[in-house]
Amino acid sequence: MSSLRSTAQYHLNYFLHHRRSWSATSIDWSRSDFIAGNLAKPMNRLPRNFTLGGIRGFAVLGAKGSHLQSLKIEGIKDIIAVASGKGGVGKSTTAVNLAVSLAHKCQLKVGLLDADVYGPSIPTMMKLHGKPEVSADKKMIPIENYGIKCISMGSLVAEGEAIVWRGPMVMKALEQMTRGVDWGILDILVVDMPPGTGDAQISISQRLQLSGSLIVSTPQDVALIDARRGVRMFSKVNVPILGIVENMSYFQCPNCSERHYIFGKGGARKTAHEMGLKFLGEIPLEMGIRSGSDDGVPVVISDPDSSTSQAYDDVAQKIVSRLEELTKEPFLQPEINI
């Protein structure tokens, strides 16, 4: 434990020593100076219950009393994480289209947080322009489009600018992008998680009252290996797994309608069954999804009656049903067979 504290203290000292040079990034601090002030504040000391696995934040399953309240964000009913064990599986595209489906198909008030600080893509996919305004109580006001309230680091830096920050800066930025935002009243906040199972993922999982996590994977074994790691991470911090979504499941020929399973067939469904998890659906590999992401018009907006949009709508409705199930059994965690 002493060596662990020493390592943490080293990173803290490094952060405090270099914070001024880091604050000289190309973020427009004239509009976001309150973020700079919060990022420059020293981090609190390690809590007593700090372990190698991190702070034991129990999400909706084990937390009680004041600790549960401290994990909540005022005005937000449910927070769900859209995650993957690796990049390149279409996690952000899935998060965007599900957020819009939850708002339009399920008639919910939805927010979207781009937690991928190093590679923010939500501003492009949601066609967000400008920077967040600041409220009277010094909180960011989300940029809204398609009925979704959005916050992303991509809206705070110059387009194409690299975020060259060490872990402590990223942690403070994520804290400000969650609790330093005037979200208003939301039914669901969708968090587009960064890929992997590192510091950012663990911190978000333990510092927010996550109602559940959604694992996105493609069908091939290489992606599913890392998807399993994502499941294990969330299980270690007691965040319920809402289910697995298989992205790029198949390509359907527009001429003959034959399905081609480019990345394999049924891999995510099989993995969900083996791990005792819900399989929430298949999303095809389709040009409209790609073009919609590049143009900033999600496919559920540009072509709401398509089979692809229907697939997203079905997953969104299953997410709502899973959240209702977990609400009825708040202290029972799904058994995960690993």
Side-chain angles (χ1 to χ4, degrees):
M1 178 64 71
S2 60
S3 62
L4 184 61
R5 288 180 181 273
S6 298
T7 301
Q9 187 63 46
Y10 168 80
H11 288 296
L12 174 59
N13 291 338
Y14 190 97
F15 161 59
L16 294 175
H17 179 72
H18 292 279
R19 66 188 182 198
R20 291 185 178 179
S21 61
W22 287 342
S23 295
T25 182
S26 59
I27 294 178
D28 182 3
W29 297 116
S30 64
R31 296 288 295 278
S32 309
D33 58 330
F34 67 100
I35 302 179
N38 280 278
L39 289 177
K41 291 179 181 178
M43 297 172 64
N44 294 331
R45 64 181 178 84
L46 291 174
R48 292 181 180 178
N49 60 341
F50 183 88
T51 66
L52 188 60
I55 306 169
R56 302 299 293 171
F58 287 160
V60 295
L61 292 181
K64 297 181 179 180
S66 60
H67 179 63
L68 177 62
Q69 292 300 319
S70 68
L71 298 177
K72 291 177 67 67
I73 298 179
E74 185 178 357
I76 300 179
K77 180 181 178 182
D78 287 303
I79 304 176
I80 63 172
V82 179
S84 63
K86 66 185 296 123
V89 298
K91 169 187 54 62
S92 295
T93 303
T94 302
V96 164
N97 281 282
L98 287 179
V100 177
S101 288
L102 287 166
H104 290 236
K105 184 69 175 181
C106 303
Q107 298 296 302
L108 300 177
K109 296 178 180 178
V110 181
L112 178 59
L113 168 63
D114 187 355
D116 192 351
V117 172
Y118 293 119
S121 55
I122 297 303
T124 298
M125 293 184 174
M126 290 291 288
K127 196 179 287 187
L128 306 179
H129 301 292
K131 299 182 183 296
E133 299 291 338
V134 180
S135 67
D137 56 351
K138 302 297 183 182
K139 288 190 174 185
M140 284 187 287
I141 300 174
I143 303 174
E144 189 168 342
N145 198 15
Y146 307 122
I148 312 297
K149 296 180 178 180
C150 305
I151 284 292
S152 171
M153 183 58 71
S155 298
L156 300 172
V157 300
E159 185 176 356
E161 182 69 22
I163 305 295
V164 188
W165 286 350
R166 290 186 180 270
M169 282 289 286
V170 174
M171 298 305 102
K172 295 296 287 184
L174 288 173
E175 182 74 11
Q176 197 63 35
M177 290 167 62
T178 51
R179 303 184 187 280
V181 175
D182 183 5
W183 291 106
I185 304 298
L186 295 179
D187 294 305
I188 294 182
L189 174 63
V190 177
V191 181
D192 179 20
M193 298 281 280
T197 56
D199 288 346
Q201 294 85 348
I202 295 173
S203 294
I204 292 172
S205 301
Q206 296 169 331
R207 294 183 182 183
L208 294 178
Q209 184 188 331
L210 292 179
S211 301
S213 60
L214 179 70
I215 306 298
V216 179
S217 179
T218 49
Q220 77 260 44
D221 292 340
V222 171
L224 290 166
I225 290 171
D226 291 320
R228 287 175 177 268
R229 293 192 178 102
V231 171
R232 292 188 183 103
M233 182 202 74
F234 284 114
S235 67
K236 286 181 178 180
V237 293
N238 294 337
V239 173
I241 309 297
L242 299 174
I244 297 180
V245 172
E246 186 177 86
N247 196 33
M248 308 182 201
S249 292
Y250 57 86
F251 171 75
Q252 185 165 320
C253 177
N255 297 320
C256 66
S257 298
E258 181 181 357
R259 291 186 177 185
H260 301 273
Y261 297 91
I262 298 173
F263 297 107
K265 183 177 181 180
R269 184 188 295 273
K270 179 181 178 182
T271 298
H273 176 73
E274 292 174 349
M275 301 186 78
L277 301 172
K278 298 282 188 180
F279 180 71
L280 300 184
E282 300 175 339
I283 306 298
L285 179 63
E286 187 178 286
M287 187 177 296
I289 299 176
R290 191 276 308 162
S291 61
S293 297
D294 289 346
D295 296 338
V297 185
V299 68
V300 293
I301 293 291
S302 63
D303 194 2
D305 297 324
S306 66
S307 59
T308 301
S309 295
Q310 183 60 54
Y312 281 120
D313 290 343
D314 289 345
V315 173
Q317 290 176 327
K318 289 177 181 177
I319 289 173
V320 174
S321 297
R322 288 286 290 131
L323 290 172
E324 292 175 352
E325 291 175 7
L326 291 172
T327 301
K328 295 175 182 177
E329 299 179 349
F331 299 107
L332 295 178
Q333 185 168 2
E335 180 180 353
I336 300 177
N337 303 312
I338 300 175

